[in-house]
Amino acid sequence: MEQTFIMIKPDGVQRGLIGDIICRFEKKGFYLKAMKFMNVEKSFAQKHYADLSALPFFPKLVDYIISGPVVAMVWEGKDVVLTGRRIIGATRPWEAAPGTIRGDYAVEVSRNVIHGSDSVENGQKEIALWFPGGLAEWKSNLHPWIYEN
Ligand code: IDP
Ligand code: MG
C-alpha cells in the first residue's frame, strides 16, 4: 500500500496540535508506520527542502523548521499521498478549506503547521531520508472494516 511522509512542524508542536493531527490521520483509516519526535539539524532541513533552495524564502523556511522539535511520521493507506494533502489543505492557509488542518489552524504560509509529501515518488525519497532504519511492520486488525481488500 502507498505511504507518505508527514511532519508536524515546530509551530504545530508548540501549539499543542500533535494529538489532533495524529487523530485525523488515524480516524480516517490510515496506518502509522513510523514516528519520531526530534530536533532537526540545519543541513538536514536544507536537504529535506532541497527542491526549494533557489526560492527567496528558503533561508527563512530552514530557520522555521529548525526552530523547535518536529514530529516526523510515515502513514500508509490507499491513496494516502493525495488524501493526506487534502487532509492538510492548501499551502497558503488563507486558501485552505475549513475542515483541513491548515484551514482550521493556520494563518500564515510561513507558519502552516504541517508538511506532507506531494507525490508517491517524493514520499519514498522523504521516508528514506527521515527513516533510514526502516518502518514498523504491522497490520491493523481493523483492516477489513476499513478496506474491502
Ligand atoms: P507544501 O508544504 O504545501 O508542499 P511547498 O510549496 O512545498 O508547500 O513549500 C514548502 C513550505 O515552504 C510550505 O509549507 C511553507 O511552510 C513554505 N512556503 C511556501 N511558500 C512560501 C512563501 O511564499 N513564503 C514563506 N514560506 C513559504
Ligand atoms: Mg511541498
Side-chain angles (χ1 to χ4, degrees):
M1 253 197 298
E2 196 170 292
Q3 295 170 341
T4 192
F5 173 69
I6 300 291
M7 172 190 36
I8 305 173
K9 296 175 178 178
D11 51 332
V13 172
Q14 294 290 346
R15 293 176 53 200
L17 300 176
I18 297 171
D20 179 278
I21 288 169
I22 290 175
C23 204
R24 290 176 184 224
F25 281 85
E26 205 174 31
K27 282 183 174 168
K28 171 69 177 169
F30 294 140
Y31 302 137
L32 185 62
K33 298 289 294 193
M35 177 162 71
K36 56 186 175 183
F37 186 59
M38 61 188 285
N39 287 97
V40 178
E41 299 272 337
K42 190 167 195 162
S43 58
F44 189 88
Q46 288 167 335
K47 207 169 172 184
H48 170 74
Y49 279 123
D51 290 351
L52 306 179
S53 62
L55 296 176
F57 59 81
F58 182 73
K60 274 193 172 177
L61 173 59
V62 169
D63 285 346
Y64 164 42
I65 295 305
I66 67 172
S67 64
V70 301
V71 179
M73 297 176 280
V74 176
W75 288 89
E76 184 177 271
K78 185 180 178 189
D79 295 329
V80 69
V81 170
L82 181 62
T83 305
R85 294 278 294 190
R86 288 195 174 130
I87 290 169
I88 288 170
T91 303
R92 299 178 182 87
W94 58 91
E95 293 171 355
T100 65
I101 292 167
R102 287 167 173 168
D104 288 349
Y105 298 136
V107 175
E108 299 248 44
V109 67
S110 55
R111 300 284 185 275
N112 63 359
V113 172
I114 182 166
H115 165 86
S117 307
D118 63 5
S119 69
V120 175
E121 190 193 353
N122 283 337
Q124 287 308 308
K125 274 189 212 160
E126 291 170 0
I127 290 166
L129 176 68
W130 287 79
F131 293 98
L135 311 176
E137 282 293 331
W138 73 295
K139 187 165 181 178
S140 168
N141 286 328
L142 294 181
H143 190 83
W145 297 102
I146 303 168
Y147 294 89
E148 191 174 341
N149 298 303

